């Protein structure tokens, strides 16, 4: 079974641009969560989607948004990019939303904002 | 609010020596606790988790962790380090009733000397 797939692997953008990152969960998984990883702030929760609905949101500005499609694939979008948005963005999928669910992480998209 | 503190951003051990990575949590309700490992340029992989029941939890690759409520700790150990254990390790807590959201510690980078 294929793991969580994130595309693209690397992205370089300039300030003010917008970017869309994609995540394909493991087949059969219906929950997708997104995390931002930076050296300074560590791993921070962005949002979680389940059955095409955002179920939980972290403490990020409205420039960060996401969506989930009927096949559970998810995208996140960052508008008006800032230098501080440079980070590794990780996607994780799980079968459901229970506390006991195991999260499977993708390898991430490394975003550099110049 | 729940939080996780990992003591020591860098830990170095010799091959064959005991590995001890420290994690303390803050939670007003019984927590679900996790340890994840991240190898360079990869996503996170679950090592082990504590939900309920036995307080000594065994994970993959010979790692184990003990939940100590009185000390609010969930330290990760491995009796004998291997070169392949060199990676970054994250302790995380799952907030009650918040699905796929995890709150991570800042991480501990483990180096293994030959």
């Amino acid at each position: 079974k294929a793991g969580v797939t994130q595309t693209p692997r690397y992205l370089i953008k300039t300030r003010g641009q917008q970017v869309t990152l994609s995540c394909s969960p493991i087949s059969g998984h219906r929950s997708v969560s997104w995390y931002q990883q930076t050296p300074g702030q560590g791993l921070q929760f962005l949002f979680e989607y389940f059955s095409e609905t955002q179920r939980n949101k972290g403490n990020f500005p409205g420039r960060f948004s996401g969506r989930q499609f009927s096949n559970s694939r998810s995208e996140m979008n960052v508008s008006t990019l800032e230098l501080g948005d440079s980070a590794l963005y990780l996607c994780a999928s799980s079968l459901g939303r229970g506390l006991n669910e195991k999260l499977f992480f993708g390898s991430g998209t490394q975003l550099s904002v110049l | 609010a729940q939080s996780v503190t990992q003591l020591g951003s860098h830990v170095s051990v010799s091959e064959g020596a005991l590995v001890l990575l420290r994690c303390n949590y803050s939670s007003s309700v019984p927590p679900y606790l996790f340890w994840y490992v991240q190898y360079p340029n990869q996503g996170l992989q679950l090592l082990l988790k504590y939900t309920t029941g036995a307080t000594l939890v065994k994970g993959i690759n010979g790692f184990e962790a003990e939940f100590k409520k009185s000390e609010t700790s969930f330290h990760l150990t491995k009796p004998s380090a291997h070169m392949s254990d060199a990676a970054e390790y994250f302790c995380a807590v799952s907030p009650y009733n918040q699905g796929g959201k995890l709150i991570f510690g800042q991480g501990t980078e483990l180096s293994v000397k030959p």
Side-chain angles (χ1 to χ4, degrees):
Chain A
K1 189 183 270 190
V4 178
T5 303
Q6 291 189 246
T7 56
R9 186 71 179 89
Y10 299 95
L11 263 179
I12 300 176
K13 293 286 187 180
T14 57
R15 278 183 301 173
Q17 287 186 311
Q18 75 165 17
V19 67
T20 299
L21 313 181
S22 179
C23 172
S24 293
I26 292 173
S27 177
H29 285 196
R30 296 172 61 196
S31 177
V32 173
S33 301
W34 289 88
Y35 290 81
Q36 181 195 65
Q37 185 176 20
T38 60
Q41 299 298 317
L43 281 154
Q44 293 185 283
F45 173 79
L46 279 158
F47 27 64
E48 178 197 10
Y49 287 86
F50 181 82
S51 294
E52 302 178 63
T53 303
Q54 187 179 91
R55 303 290 179 156
N56 211 341
K57 190 177 189 304
N59 189 26
F60 279 82
R63 299 185 298 107
F64 291 81
S65 63
R67 59 177 176 169
Q68 186 180 35
F69 302 95
S70 58
N71 61 358
S72 294
R73 190 177 71 85
S74 178
E75 289 181 346
M76 68 163 280
N77 183 78
V78 188
S79 62
T80 319
L81 283 166
E82 300 178 359
L83 295 178
D85 297 333
S86 294
L88 179 66
Y89 290 88
L90 293 167
C91 164
S93 75
S94 60
L95 279 170
R97 299 193 67 236
L99 284 174
N100 205 26
E101 292 290 344
K102 179 178 177 179
L103 292 184
F104 293 83
F105 283 81
S107 297
T109 294
Q110 183 67 55
L111 172 65
S112 298
V113 182
L114 307 178
Chain B
Q2 291 168 304
S3 64
V4 174
T5 302
Q6 291 183 240
L7 300 175
S9 58
H10 292 90
V11 170
S12 181
V13 301
S14 298
E15 193 173 19
L18 171 72
V19 175
L20 171 60
L21 304 182
R22 299 177 187 272
C23 172
N24 288 89
Y25 68 90
S26 169
S27 175
S28 58
V29 297
Y32 281 28
L33 294 160
F34 306 80
W35 274 100
Y36 282 85
V37 61
Q38 186 177 33
Y39 297 100
N41 300 314
Q42 293 188 28
L44 280 73
Q45 180 183 7
L46 180 67
L47 278 176
L48 50 80
K49 65 179 179 181
Y50 169 79
T51 54
T52 58
T55 56
L56 183 61
V57 181
K58 294 188 184 299
I60 62 172
N61 301 340
F63 285 94
E64 61 182 35
E66 186 171 11
F67 170 66
K68 291 187 176 181
K69 185 178 179 181
S70 60
E71 299 177 8
T72 60
S73 69
F74 191 56
H75 301 331
L76 182 71
T77 60
K78 182 174 180 178
S80 177
H82 192 271
M83 296 296 291
S84 61
D85 295 327
E88 188 148 23
Y89 292 79
F90 294 91
C91 182
V93 63
S94 180
Y96 182 73
N97 255 354
Q98 292 197 41
K101 177 178 180 177
L102 290 175
I103 296 173
F104 285 92
Q106 285 296 101
T108 298
E109 185 175 354
L110 175 67
S111 300
V112 181
K113 299 174 291 186

